Amino acid sequence: MTGTADFSESVEGDRHVLRFTGPMTLARIGTLPDRLDNVANGRRMTLDLSGVERMDTVGAWLVYRLARKTEAQVTGADPHMETLLDQVAQADHPVKVRPDRTPPFYRVLGQIGGSTAVAIRTLGGLVGFFGALLISAWGLIKHPRRFRLNAVTQQFEVIGIHSLGIVGLMSFLVGIVIAQQGAVQLAQFGAEVFTVNLIGRSAVKELGLLMTAIMVAGRSGSAFAAQIGSMKLAEEVDAMRTIGVSPMEALVLPRVLATVLMMPLLGFYAALLAIVGGGIFTWLSLDIPPVTFVQRIREVVPMTDLWQMLIKAPVFGLIIAMAGCFQGMQVEGNAEAVGLRTTSAVVQGIFLVIVLDAFFAVFFTSIGWL
């Protein structure tokens, strides 16, 4: 194919006819655009494409622009040219530099609806993940030789032993804060002695376990999401499936089992340290001797408070571990997704723990465990 695109003009009746010839492509268009700018003269025009050898998007745009400018009729186009002209016509619309301004009410309403939809999908995903976890656990029960004791033992160390320092310090300080604030308020009524009741019941029944759960969610739950998410990005999880190793059995179950078993121990440890911290404060500030403090704790803290803590702790551990592992398994795309999923794991774990704690409080009150 040689030559460049060209056109000729003629007058047929009351129409001005432009007959295009040659290849109307980017490489062969030549000076045709500049010459076409001087063609429009106000008369009725017809654009004849029967002599065009070949046309690409640039040539179609020139013809379409001229036809739109002069309101001309296009004839002689083969099916390929007609398709190009139709596509160019469909693409000819103004581009918005800025999106339309959405009223604040509709914008907030849309954000609430989107967040609600995400929460429902996440809840459904967690329920499905829990089902897969139960199936994997049943598989291990039927085939106990597949149980990975070393992995569970390692998670015991990571979740439990390595957490003793931070959980103990946090609980000790919280116990001091409870004692100090309680003593200040009770002093107005001359009832400083009841500070011991406040320390013992709040530490054993609620705050010891709740603060431990929040700390485990921020420390271990985030680690689960980051570790499994990094393995997903590195395609290690897919490689495990390829060689016949179940990721649920190798990665998820050891972490979930270790968290479930360690939460009661950590919760009891945290409650004990909170009581110790409160006892030291009452000894130094309220002149309550340690022996009296311990005797008073034994009198005012019922065994039902301890049973409540031991019942709630495994459930909290299950929720925290599931949230971390679930978000880690959802990682895909790039490294940014690891950070986002890790944040989601911590937020979901803490949120679900607090919600479940409220349900437990109502339930235990309804059965008389006050």
Side-chain angles (χ1 to χ4, degrees):
M1 183 181 300
T2 58
T4 58
D6 201 355
F7 69 92
S8 60
E9 302 181 60
S10 63
V11 178
E12 298 179 1
D14 59 344
R15 283 187 174 273
H16 186 188
V17 180
L18 264 66
R19 290 186 173 85
F20 292 90
T21 58
M24 295 189 65
T25 61
L26 177 63
R28 304 288 182 174
I29 207 71
T31 60
L32 186 63
D34 297 332
R35 296 165 56 197
L36 288 176
D37 290 339
N38 302 321
V39 168
N41 52 14
R43 288 183 293 177
R44 300 176 60 188
M45 297 187 65
T46 299
L47 307 182
D48 185 3
L49 304 181
S50 57
V52 176
E53 302 174 7
R54 184 184 177 189
M55 179 181 288
D56 62 7
T57 307
V58 175
W61 168 249
L62 289 175
V63 175
Y64 168 76
R65 186 183 64 171
L66 182 61
R68 184 188 61 182
K69 180 179 179 180
T70 60
E71 298 181 358
Q73 179 182 0
V74 180
T75 61
D78 60 23
H80 172 70
M81 297 178 187
E82 291 180 354
T83 301
L84 279 178
L85 291 171
D86 291 339
Q87 292 177 348
V88 169
Q90 293 174 6
D92 183 28
H93 55 80
V95 178
K96 293 182 179 180
V97 178
R98 296 180 180 177
D100 295 334
R101 182 176 178 81
T102 305
F105 174 77
Y106 293 109
R107 186 168 62 251
V108 172
L109 192 63
Q111 292 175 349
I112 294 175
S115 300
T116 303
V118 171
I120 293 174
R121 287 196 300 269
T122 302
L123 181 61
L126 279 173
V127 173
F129 191 76
F130 180 64
L133 187 65
L134 292 180
I135 294 173
S136 300
W138 177 249
L140 284 181
I141 293 174
K142 293 193 298 183
H143 304 90
R145 296 184 62 182
R146 298 208 309 249
F147 181 70
R148 299 172 181 270
L149 181 60
N150 290 339
V152 177
T153 305
Q154 181 186 11
Q155 295 303 323
F156 279 158
E157 182 179 4
V158 173
I159 299 169
I161 297 176
H162 292 173
S163 299
L164 290 178
I166 185 65
V167 171
L169 177 61
M170 177 192 66
S171 301
F172 182 81
L173 296 177
V174 167
I176 294 176
V177 171
I178 294 174
Q180 191 272 334
Q181 293 296 322
V184 169
Q185 298 301 319
L186 292 173
Q188 303 177 29
F189 309 98
E192 297 94 330
V193 67
F194 292 106
T195 304
V196 180
N197 302 46
L198 177 64
I199 297 169
R201 299 214 63 182
S202 61
V204 175
K205 189 175 182 178
E206 288 293 341
L207 286 182
L209 179 60
L210 190 61
M211 297 300 293
T212 301
I214 293 174
M215 184 60 65
V216 171
R219 186 179 180 279
S220 300
S222 61
F224 294 166
Q227 291 166 0
I228 298 178
S230 299
M231 295 181 69
K232 280 272 291 184
L233 286 184
E235 300 183 353
E236 295 179 31
V237 175
D238 295 333
M240 293 174 66
R241 292 193 180 100
T242 302
I243 63 177
V245 177
S246 171
M248 294 295 293
E249 294 182 4
L251 300 177
V252 178
L253 268 176
R255 289 170 168 82
V256 172
L257 183 59
T259 310
V260 169
L261 295 179
M262 290 304 301
M263 276 299 295
L265 301 177
L266 287 174
F268 182 79
Y269 168 75
L272 188 62
L273 265 292
I275 292 175
V276 170
I280 293 175
F281 178 85
T282 57
W283 182 23
L284 298 178
S285 298
L286 304 180
D287 295 327
I288 299 177
V291 175
T292 305
F293 180 84
V294 173
Q295 291 177 346
R296 185 66 177 169
I297 287 288
R298 293 178 62 184
E299 293 174 1
V300 301
V301 179
M303 283 298 297
T304 54
D305 287 359
L306 181 61
W307 287 119
Q308 287 185 42
M309 182 188 68
L310 295 179
I311 291 173
K312 292 188 295 186
V315 180
F316 290 173
L318 176 65
I319 291 298
I320 292 169
M322 278 185 51
C325 296
F326 171 73
Q327 292 296 335
M329 296 294 282
Q330 300 302 308
V331 171
E332 57 185 12
N334 50 38
E336 183 181 4
V338 177
L340 295 176
R341 291 294 180 176
T342 301
T343 303
S344 298
V346 176
V347 173
Q348 288 177 8
I350 295 175
F351 173 77
L352 292 175
V353 162
I354 294 175
V355 170
L356 284 176
D357 187 61
F359 279 114
F360 274 121
V362 175
F363 172 72
F364 289 133
T365 301
S366 65
I367 64 175
W369 287 11
L370 301 177

